[in-house]
Amino acid sequence: MRLMGAWRVGDVLVFSLVALLALFQVALGGNLPVLVALYAAAVGALAIGYGLVLWTRGESFPVPPRALAVEGILWISMLGFVFIQGLWPTDASEDGSRAWSAARGATWITCIHLVGLGLMYFLAAQATLRTGRGNLMLVSIVIISTALAIYALLALTQFGDTILGVPKWAYPGVATGTFVNRNSLATVLALGLAVVGALLVGQAADGTDAAMWQRRVLLCIAAVVMAAALLATASRTGLIAAAVGVLIAIVLSRARPLAILALSLGGLLLMGFLLAPLYGEQFVDRLAQLDLTQDDRWLLYNQILEMILDKPLLGHGAGAFEYAFPHYHHLPLSSDLVWSKAHSVYLSSLAELGVVFAPVAYLAVIATCVRLVRVARSNVSNLPRIVGCISAIAAVAVHSVFDFGLEIPSIAYLFAAILGTGAAGAAYPALLPRNTNE
């Protein structure tokens, strides 16, 4: 209680969430069942503790559940379907064609993961209702992304091209950071750059004093480091996603004067091009070798479509793609590789959840985005985080077409925190006057 007397509950919560988000990024993105369960347990424990503190103090949630009703109903309905998939008895047939899930264990893990993500979204909204804490969350995400970028560059150039000190077993010669796949790191960096773009928009709108300039310089340095690491991943989709995110931030900006914003972004691009010769060789080589007609990914997508059409309504089970796809894998798609991911979040969700419930997750994100766009026209004080959330959604939406970044647990939690922060910003004008003690 002494801690709560010195700090408000929301202060403790936002720093706790930031600490969890930073910790989640360390161990291969949490892409192991035991880590998925531990991550969800950590967020769940924080949610229980937060609820108990509010209850003992006789306080209500700063952002009441009814303010997030649309997203909540959609998320709970999808979670309920996944629960049923995991609960339904496994089919005894040889190929499991009549089962609701091709791998009930994986579906249960996914169900636990979805609970954790929903709680992260809800807690981030509670913690960041106030503008100061909302901006703190965004700055913290930039710091986390920049730290990952610095480590990725050091691991590639100074630590013998390793992952957490262990020699790489995949993607040698490109930056992967704490992840196995370069595109996972690229997703985090695209999110970070989208948020930086939004914060630069906010700094340009706030004025021209010395403190503002110092913040702009720090943000630009962070962006240059992330851009260098993004080039070092050689991820083509990652670069496009980051560019889309930053462009959305500029389009949605009402920053004045525009000359300051243009100067900041212009300087960022200039430094990025100067760093390209150092870290962009692999990226340029991949661009030169681009041949869409020879890309195995198109063969993969065709076979995933066969998989979707085989069970279009119920899907093959959340998290069960790698167990179900081998039944549909055939030549001419290479048999030398194990396709454990669909390399498209959209196709993966359709294959696992079916055409009825897969779009429910998209609708939950779209509902948040629509509310943010509506509020962005009038809510000047929360413009950076509103724009940051919309930009992050745009970056992830683009990257998810050709990759599976959001299927990596630590990245999904990062995205959920951004969404929750944006949702709180959209709710700010109506709710803050009633929650002065949060």
Side-chain angles (χ1 to χ4, degrees):
M1 286 300 177
R2 290 181 180 177
L3 177 62
M4 293 304 175
W7 283 18
R8 294 183 177 182
V9 180
D11 294 326
V12 177
L13 181 58
V14 74
F15 280 107
S16 299
L17 290 173
V18 168
L20 287 180
L21 289 173
L23 184 62
F24 288 175
Q25 308 305 314
V26 175
L28 305 178
N31 198 29
L32 294 171
V34 64
L35 292 178
V36 172
L38 286 174
Y39 288 4
V43 177
L46 181 59
I48 292 172
Y50 177 64
L52 288 175
V53 169
L54 291 184
W55 179 67
T56 56
R57 292 163 64 102
E59 298 176 6
S60 58
F61 290 116
V63 181
R66 68 175 182 277
L68 307 171
V70 174
E71 295 92 329
I73 291 172
L74 290 170
W75 196 256
I76 290 172
S77 65
M78 183 182 68
L79 184 62
F81 176 70
V82 173
F83 180 81
I84 293 173
Q85 281 186 318
L87 193 64
W88 203 264
T90 303
D91 182 41
S93 62
E94 182 178 350
D95 61 357
S97 59
R98 293 188 297 276
W100 279 45
S101 174
R104 292 176 66 192
T107 299
W108 278 117
I109 289 293
T110 301
C111 188
I112 293 171
H113 179 50
L114 291 175
V115 171
L117 291 179
L119 290 175
M120 175 61 75
Y121 174 88
F122 183 75
L123 290 176
Q126 306 307 319
T128 61
L129 179 60
R130 290 181 175 273
T131 301
R133 287 200 290 263
N135 291 338
L136 173 61
M137 177 65 83
L138 292 186
V139 170
S140 298
I141 288 172
V142 170
I143 292 172
I144 291 171
S145 303
T146 305
L148 282 171
I150 293 172
Y151 172 76
L153 292 174
L154 289 175
L156 176 64
T157 61
Q158 304 300 316
F159 301 156
D161 195 15
T162 58
I163 302 176
L164 301 175
V166 177
K168 283 184 180 178
W169 56 93
Y171 298 99
V174 296
T176 61
T178 59
F179 303 95
V180 175
N181 191 289
R182 63 179 164 210
N183 290 299
S184 299
L185 176 62
T187 307
V188 174
L189 298 176
L191 284 172
L193 286 167
V195 173
V196 162
L199 290 174
L200 282 173
V201 165
Q203 296 298 324
D206 285 340
T208 59
D209 57 77
M212 292 300 106
W213 274 109
Q214 291 174 1
R215 293 171 189 172
R216 290 187 196 107
V217 170
L218 290 175
L219 287 171
C220 284
I221 291 174
V224 168
V225 172
M226 285 189 281
L230 183 56
L231 285 173
T233 66
S235 173
R236 296 166 298 201
T237 310
L239 186 63
I240 294 172
V244 169
V246 174
L247 180 62
I248 292 295
I250 296 173
V251 169
L252 294 177
S253 168
R254 294 178 298 173
R256 299 293 187 270
L258 288 178
I260 296 175
L261 178 61
L263 181 61
S264 298
L265 295 177
L268 169 63
L269 290 173
L270 176 61
M271 287 187 285
F273 279 118
L274 291 176
L275 285 171
L278 296 176
Y279 300 106
E281 182 179 353
Q282 288 271 11
F283 179 79
V284 173
D285 289 344
R286 288 199 76 210
L287 283 181
Q289 297 169 6
L290 181 63
D291 184 354
L292 296 179
T293 62
Q294 300 298 318
D295 196 335
D296 275 353
R297 196 166 302 197
W298 302 112
L299 296 173
L300 172 65
Y301 291 165
N302 284 332
Q303 294 182 16
I304 294 174
L305 287 175
E306 296 175 13
M307 182 178 175
I308 294 170
L309 292 174
D310 193 35
K311 296 186 69 175
L313 296 180
L314 300 179
H316 295 264
F321 176 85
E322 67 175 305
Y323 302 96
F325 181 69
H327 294 292
Y328 302 89
H329 183 187
H330 56 78
L331 295 175
L333 180 63
S334 173
S335 58
D336 296 333
L337 299 174
V338 176
W339 300 94
S340 60
K341 301 290 185 182
H343 289 268
S344 170
V345 172
Y346 303 110
L347 288 178
S348 177
S349 59
L350 287 169
E352 293 182 352
L353 300 176
V355 298
V356 176
F357 281 92
V360 171
Y362 316 151
L363 290 175
V365 176
I366 291 171
T368 298
C369 191
V370 168
R371 183 169 22 191
L372 289 167
V373 171
R374 289 177 178 173
V375 175
R377 299 180 180 180
S378 58
N379 195 343
V380 177
S381 62
N382 276 294
L383 188 62
R385 61 165 153 173
I386 290 173
V387 171
C389 186
I390 296 173
S391 301
I393 291 172
V396 164
V398 170
H399 199 267
S400 295
V401 175
F402 295 109
D403 243 299
F404 53 86
L406 277 187
E407 296 178 41
I408 304 301
S410 66
I411 301 175
Y413 276 107
L414 203 65
F415 185 56
I418 294 174
L419 287 180
T421 302
Y428 177 91
L431 296 176
L432 185 61
R434 301 171 54 192
N435 294 280
T436 56
N437 295 320
E438 54 81 33

